[in-house]
Amino acid sequence: MDTFGSRLREERIRSKLTQTALAEIGGVQPNARGHYENGQRMPRVDYLLATASVIDVSYLVTGRRMLDTFAEMSQDEHDILVALRKMPQDDKEAVNHLFKTWLRHCYASQN
């Protein structure tokens, strides 16, 4: 059965984490995490935010893998996103301005 709890367990196993390790990352007691996997309780948002670095939270919530959205991404596209995330805020704003200007130009030329 495809439930939040079954997806949480699947993600924990896929990420090669023990129940205790995932509970620690999420800032909860191991028995609380067990309740999540068993469907007895739902986690709070702070748990989901804390675990988002090691599991696909989008998949937990929606049943669709966020990573599947990017499955066709080229290495160049991946490298650009990684570089963008590492940029200082001023540089990010400059890149954002460049893309917005380029998109406006593209849309204007289509009309």
Side-chain angles (χ1 to χ4, degrees):
M1 180 188 252
D2 186 30
T3 64
F4 179 91
S6 65
R7 291 190 298 269
L8 178 59
R9 182 175 190 277
E10 179 185 343
E11 276 299 285
R12 179 179 56 75
I13 292 169
R14 185 187 66 78
S15 298
K16 297 180 173 72
L17 293 168
T18 64
Q19 294 175 353
T20 303
L22 186 57
E24 186 175 304
I25 291 167
V28 299
Q29 295 296 314
N31 64 338
R33 194 237 17 99
H35 291 307
Y36 303 156
E37 284 191 14
N38 293 330
Q40 296 169 333
R41 289 181 32 202
M42 293 297 287
R44 294 176 11 169
V45 172
D46 56 343
Y47 172 84
L48 296 176
L49 291 172
T51 60
S53 64
V54 294
I55 59 176
D56 186 352
V57 173
S58 177
Y59 175 64
L60 295 181
V61 175
T62 68
R64 294 187 321 259
R65 292 201 176 276
M66 179 62 81
L67 300 176
D68 289 346
T69 307
F70 301 107
E72 295 180 16
M73 185 183 298
S74 71
Q75 186 62 47
D76 286 341
E77 292 166 327
H78 176 269
D79 293 345
I80 289 168
L81 288 175
V82 168
L84 183 64
R85 287 182 174 170
K86 293 180 180 180
M87 281 182 189
Q89 187 60 35
D90 289 348
D91 292 345
K92 285 181 184 179
E93 290 171 10
V95 169
N96 189 31
H97 176 73
L98 174 69
F99 281 128
K100 285 181 177 180
T101 302
W102 178 76
L103 287 172
R104 279 194 299 271
H105 172 74
C106 288
Y107 288 126
S109 66
Q110 290 177 354
N111 294 328

